[in-house]
Amino acid sequence: MIIIGNWKAYVESEKKAKQLVASAKRAAASYTGVDVVLAPPVPYIGLFTTGNKSRVVFASQDLSETTGHAETGEISAALLADLGVQYSILGHSERRARGESDALVSEKVRRALAQGITPIVCIGERERDPEAGYLYFVREQIRSVMEPLSPKERAQIVLAYEPIWAIGKTALEAVSPTDLTEMVMYIRKALGDFMPRKATNSMRIVYGGSVDATNAKVLATGTGIQGFLIGHASAEVKEFSAIIRAVS
Ligand code: 13P
């Protein structure tokens, strides 16, 4: 299982950041079978990657498609790789809501991979309609992100299924295990248009949307996912450790 904590903009002090990292490191050392990835806001990342020898590794919440140019405010993949970042969350719905397109997400995937950073690509529908149009929406998102990429690039992606309707709510409003199982099967089938069967089976698919310590285990069991992308619960010291314990 891979457990990715996306702190979003919840953490706004170095003190809190340090508490969260220390606690995640303790949990990662205590429980087996869990890879822990933390995505702090960029200004904190260097505090933790320098000399990091723990099993906890770090992700950025985004990266820039540009590199080394006159681009005020942009943070390139090369800079993040130099900081020791190993993963990058790309195409999160909260970034797509600010105008990020699938084409831009693909470009960012390329930039990340060129620097040895593993892309965590987010997809997911805004709502579930009775006519199941959301399935086509998700399929189309997969197509638009995957098409511009080479087979080798595609195979290195971690895919995060994050239905927007389930983000930032309570565990009761998260996807149900049955719906998640169906969606993961559907996603793997859709991936089959872009890669060989073997690659679709080995692609890591994680789920995000109101995961906490109360629903992590049931969502992780028999649904076909390889982990979670966790938002608000990852910014709570005790809750995040409890999730790691629950899925270990
Ligand atoms: P929540 O866990 O707060 O629902 O957020 C999910 C998410 O968007 C993680 O990237």
Side-chain angles (χ1 to χ4, degrees):
M1 279 270 142
I2 178 168
I3 302 296
I4 307 152
N6 176 8
W7 295 1
K8 306 191 179 187
Y10 290 122
V11 180
E12 297 177 291
S13 81
E14 188 176 318
K15 186 168 167 227
K16 177 80 185 282
K18 285 183 169 165
Q19 285 169 349
L20 285 166
V21 171
S23 160
K25 281 186 179 176
R26 277 196 299 275
S30 310
Y31 305 107
T32 53
V34 189
D35 294 326
V36 180
V37 180
L38 297 179
V42 167
Y44 295 135
I45 292 182
L47 289 175
F48 306 116
T49 47
T50 309
N52 180 28
K53 293 202 178 62
S54 80
R55 289 185 41 230
V56 174
V57 299
F58 292 87
S60 63
Q61 299 176 14
D62 185 26
L63 55 74
S64 174
E65 74 285 6
T66 65
T67 189
H69 295 303
E71 302 278 358
T72 302
E74 293 297 294
I75 295 169
S76 70
L79 183 157
L80 292 166
D82 187 55
L83 270 183
V85 163
Q86 295 187 23
Y87 291 84
S88 187
I89 300 169
L90 300 177
H92 192 282
S93 56
E94 288 150 16
R95 299 228 53 89
R96 291 177 186 266
R98 292 169 168 262
E100 197 157 304
S101 65
D102 290 321
L104 185 55
V105 177
S106 300
E107 190 50 39
K108 290 182 175 189
V109 167
R110 280 232 173 82
R111 294 286 183 185
L113 289 172
Q115 295 296 331
I117 294 174
T118 301
I120 301 162
V121 174
C122 303
I123 56 167
E125 74 279 6
R126 182 163 298 283
E127 57 190 10
R128 289 213 163 181
D129 55 315
E131 294 79 30
Y134 65 92
L135 292 175
Y136 294 98
F137 179 85
V138 167
R139 193 186 189 105
E140 184 56 22
Q141 272 189 327
I142 292 172
R143 189 194 63 73
S144 328
V145 171
M146 292 292 180
E147 226 166 44
L149 302 172
S150 71
K152 199 167 159 225
E153 287 169 332
R154 293 170 187 164
Q156 294 176 76
I157 289 172
V158 175
L159 205 59
Y161 171 59
E162 293 210 308
I164 297 170
W165 53 265
I167 293 178
K169 307 250 172 66
T170 67
L172 288 175
E173 294 156 280
V175 75
S176 72
T178 313
D179 286 351
L180 183 57
T181 308
E182 278 178 8
M183 199 62 188
V184 171
M185 283 196 304
Y186 179 79
I187 289 171
R188 282 201 201 282
K189 194 157 179 301
L191 286 170
D193 292 343
F194 303 98
M195 54 184 74
R197 164 79 55 107
K198 214 167 140 220
T200 67
N201 288 342
S202 58
M203 176 165 267
R204 284 182 290 177
I205 300 178
V206 302
Y207 167 75
S210 298
V211 177
D212 67 18
T214 66
N215 64 357
K217 195 172 171 126
V218 63
L219 287 172
T221 312
T223 51
I225 56 158
Q226 278 74 42
F228 293 115
L229 178 52
I230 297 161
H232 62 276
S234 75
E236 302 290 335
V237 172
K238 287 204 176 110
E239 192 69 23
F240 193 63
S241 298
I243 294 170
I244 295 171
R245 187 173 62 232
V247 302
S248 68

